[in-house]
Amino acid sequence: MSVKPLRVGLAGIGTVGGGTWTVLNRNADEIRRRAGRPIQITAVADLDQAKARALTGGQVRFVPDAMALARDPEIDVVIELIGGYGFAKDFVLEAIRNGKHVVTANKALLATHGNEIFALAQQKGVMVAFEAAVAGGIPIIKALREGLTANKIEWVAGIINGTTNFILSEMRDKGLAFDVVLKEAQRLGYAEADPTFDIEGVDAAHKATIMAAIAFGIPMQFDAAHIEGISKLQAKDIAYAEQLGYRIKLLGITKRHANGVELRVHPTLISSKKLIANVEGAMNAVWVKGDAVGHTMYYGKGAGAEPTASAVIADLVDVARMLTADPANRVPYLAFQPDQMAALSVVPIAQVQSCYYLRLRVKDQPGVLADITRVLADGQISIDMFFQREPDEDLHETDVVLITHLCLEQDMRAAIGRIEQLPTVLGQAVMLRMETFA
Ligand code: HSE
């Protein structure tokens, strides 16, 4: 008996769209055996018509306007690979209004407009699948939403931006400054011409927002995320951290507490003995702590044509398998039933507890350390480790580096304010957060 194919409209045939086309064709037989029906891209929309036609060899219908895919009665599911949240949002909403299922890799769109998109999708009884939106080829959405469904998830922490992990790895390996490595990363194609979203932590925050929503059953709250990137990070701090047994990674972290969730992206010191500290280059890794399973970790490529296509096609197979299921019996968009979402909001960063790395430039003279440690003691901040560099003889100055035990961020900031007022402390302190994952 022949089964009707799943008819797919592909909006955007760039790197990921091209990879999706290639893998769907190369593995068509395996995919059909798994999905129970063939999955066929029947129409493609892209601004670059010549490229689209060259890639597909003229085998599919080409439409110049993606909106035509959203309204096409001959299409069951659209893949949105347009990017951004302008036209892409209108396209996704229009497809949903027309009863189409949606597969998207668009983390920015979901983190900022996901609540509206999922509400409309639920009303229309269609699926919105987004495995490719977080950590590319790593099936972390599947893991959080289905594999770990028995667990009360306690926290998720991930290296979820390959560009910044590549830059940090190079800075550490070669002792180079951020700007130098960024230029090299751009030359090699690891960083985009406008790298702002990657280097300033915005891309990672989009992904962390999505993971927080699925892990804890909360709405998308991107606007409340605390975001710091790596552009101000100095090679010196990477080197000092290493001397103390730590590596610095840009982590997306989300943790559950009784009264709210933490949602933050920032450079983070991690013990170099931890597995995640050894994830190097452009690779991604996500570490999840569940109350029943304990620690689990997921590692792989977070970007690239075929790794991301792997996730897009997994979503297509899910759509093919669940097409005829009653919408109420499908896996909920955000892992929890829509009427069972929690009203937990994001805790302000001032209320977050962390350990801290501090670097201070100080005059090399008696009493300096006593003054600094007095301020910390007065703020009830306990020191865990301490390190002082050889003084610069000519300048009579030196760097003091210390790591604290857990304390409240607002207490740490208050203490730093007082330390910077000390006459023997020169310039501004460098403050980085440290995670033990205990
Ligand atoms: N630009 C991202 C990264 C990949 O560097 O990991 C897509 O989100």
Side-chain angles (χ1 to χ4, degrees):
M1 192 183 82
S2 85
V3 191
K4 259 183 70 185
L6 183 75
R7 300 164 303 176
V8 180
L10 173 61
I13 190 157
T15 305
V16 177
T20 303
W21 172 268
T22 306
V23 177
L24 259 184
N25 283 291
R26 189 174 71 226
N27 296 345
D29 192 44
E30 294 270 300
I31 292 166
R32 179 191 52 75
R33 287 169 56 214
R34 290 189 171 110
R37 64 177 75 217
I39 296 177
Q40 284 173 1
I41 294 178
T42 55
V44 172
D46 199 284
L47 293 175
D48 189 342
Q49 299 191 22
K51 192 185 70 189
R53 285 191 206 282
L55 245 164
T56 57
Q59 287 173 49
V60 291
R61 195 155 47 88
F62 182 82
V63 295
D65 177 13
M67 252 341 156
L69 299 180
R71 298 173 183 142
D72 189 335
E74 300 297 312
I75 284 175
D76 305 306
V77 47
V78 295
I79 306 178
E80 183 274 305
L81 299 174
I82 299 162
Y85 23 62
F87 178 75
K89 182 187 175 198
D90 297 340
F91 169 75
V92 164
L93 291 174
E94 185 64 5
I96 295 170
R97 272 186 219 107
N98 282 278
K100 316 246 171 277
H101 305 286
V102 175
V103 171
T104 178
N106 194 334
K107 58 232 75 174
L109 175 64
L110 294 178
T112 52
H113 299 289
N115 301 328
E116 180 186 349
I117 291 168
F118 295 128
L120 184 66
Q122 195 201 350
Q123 206 186 316
K124 290 288 183 182
V126 299
M127 291 173 263
V128 176
F130 50 94
E131 184 63 72
V134 181
I138 304 174
I140 187 62
I141 302 296
K142 196 84 166 175
L144 283 171
R145 203 162 60 168
E146 298 176 53
L148 299 176
T149 202
N151 289 264
K152 188 163 185 183
I153 293 173
E154 296 171 11
W155 52 257
V156 181
I159 295 173
I160 43 181
N161 183 270
T163 306
T164 44
N165 203 51
F166 173 81
I167 293 173
L168 292 177
S169 297
E170 290 288 294
M171 285 174 76
R172 185 180 71 83
D173 265 4
K174 301 179 180 161
L176 293 172
F178 170 81
D179 293 340
V180 175
V181 179
L182 173 62
K183 281 205 183 73
E184 180 66 358
Q186 284 173 316
R187 196 183 64 77
L188 293 170
Y190 283 111
E192 302 200 21
D194 178 0
T196 314
F197 265 31
D198 289 321
I199 63 174
E200 298 305 348
V202 179
D203 174 76
H206 287 145
K207 294 165 181 167
T209 299
I210 296 171
M211 292 198 291
I214 296 174
F216 309 130
I218 57 171
M220 299 288 178
Q221 297 180 59
F222 172 73
D223 288 345
H226 176 82
I227 310 173
E228 287 171 34
I230 63 164
S231 60
K232 295 193 186 78
L233 198 64
Q234 295 180 37
K236 197 180 214 188
D237 294 303
I238 295 177
Y240 286 157
E242 182 127 55
Q243 287 177 44
L244 292 165
Y246 295 90
R247 292 204 180 153
I248 300 178
K249 296 288 181 187
L250 185 72
L251 287 191
I253 300 172
T254 185
K255 294 186 188 179
R256 182 212 301 257
H257 299 287
N259 58 347
V261 298
E262 293 177 23
L263 179 56
R264 48 194 171 102
V265 171
H266 50 70
T268 312
L269 273 79
I270 317 162
S271 162
S272 55
K273 292 189 186 131
K274 302 280 184 196
L275 204 49
I276 201 162
N278 293 280
V279 172
E280 297 290 10
M283 300 305 281
N284 281 200
V286 184
W287 189 3
V288 184
K289 172 82 192 306
D291 68 335
V293 73
H295 294 254
T296 61
M297 197 161 140
Y298 310 84
Y299 170 87
K301 287 188 178 156
E306 294 205 5
T308 313
S310 166
V312 168
I313 296 168
D315 280 346
L316 289 175
V317 172
D318 271 355
V319 170
R321 286 169 173 161
M322 300 303 289
L323 208 52
T324 54
D326 176 348
N329 294 329
R330 293 180 185 144
V331 180
Y333 306 106
L334 296 180
F336 291 73
Q337 298 299 334
D339 61 352
Q340 296 295 317
M341 299 293 279
L344 287 175
S345 50
V346 175
V347 180
I349 192 72
Q351 297 300 319
V352 165
Q353 278 208 328
S354 180
C355 303
Y356 293 88
Y357 162 102
L358 283 191
R359 169 165 61 83
L360 305 160
R361 186 78 182 155
V362 299
K363 287 186 187 162
D364 185 28
Q365 64 186 52
V368 175
L369 289 181
D371 291 345
I372 295 168
T373 50
R374 170 55 44 211
V375 172
L376 292 171
D378 288 348
Q380 300 297 309
I381 296 167
S382 174
I383 298 168
D384 181 33
M385 275 189 214
F386 177 83
F387 167 92
Q388 182 178 329
R389 230 192 71 146
E390 287 288 299
D392 296 327
E393 293 290 350
D394 301 342
L395 296 172
H396 303 288
E397 291 173 17
T398 189
D399 286 338
V400 164
V401 174
L402 55 89
I403 290 181
T404 72
H405 284 296
L406 269 184
C407 67
L408 212 53
E409 175 127 349
Q410 66 186 19
D411 295 342
M412 189 71 245
R413 285 179 185 266
I416 289 173
R418 287 196 290 277
I419 287 170
E420 285 174 342
Q421 299 298 313
L422 294 170
T424 47
V425 172
L426 310 163
Q428 288 193 318
V430 170
M431 181 197 94
L432 296 167
R433 298 174 192 86
M434 192 270 265
E435 285 288 326
T436 58
F437 300 106

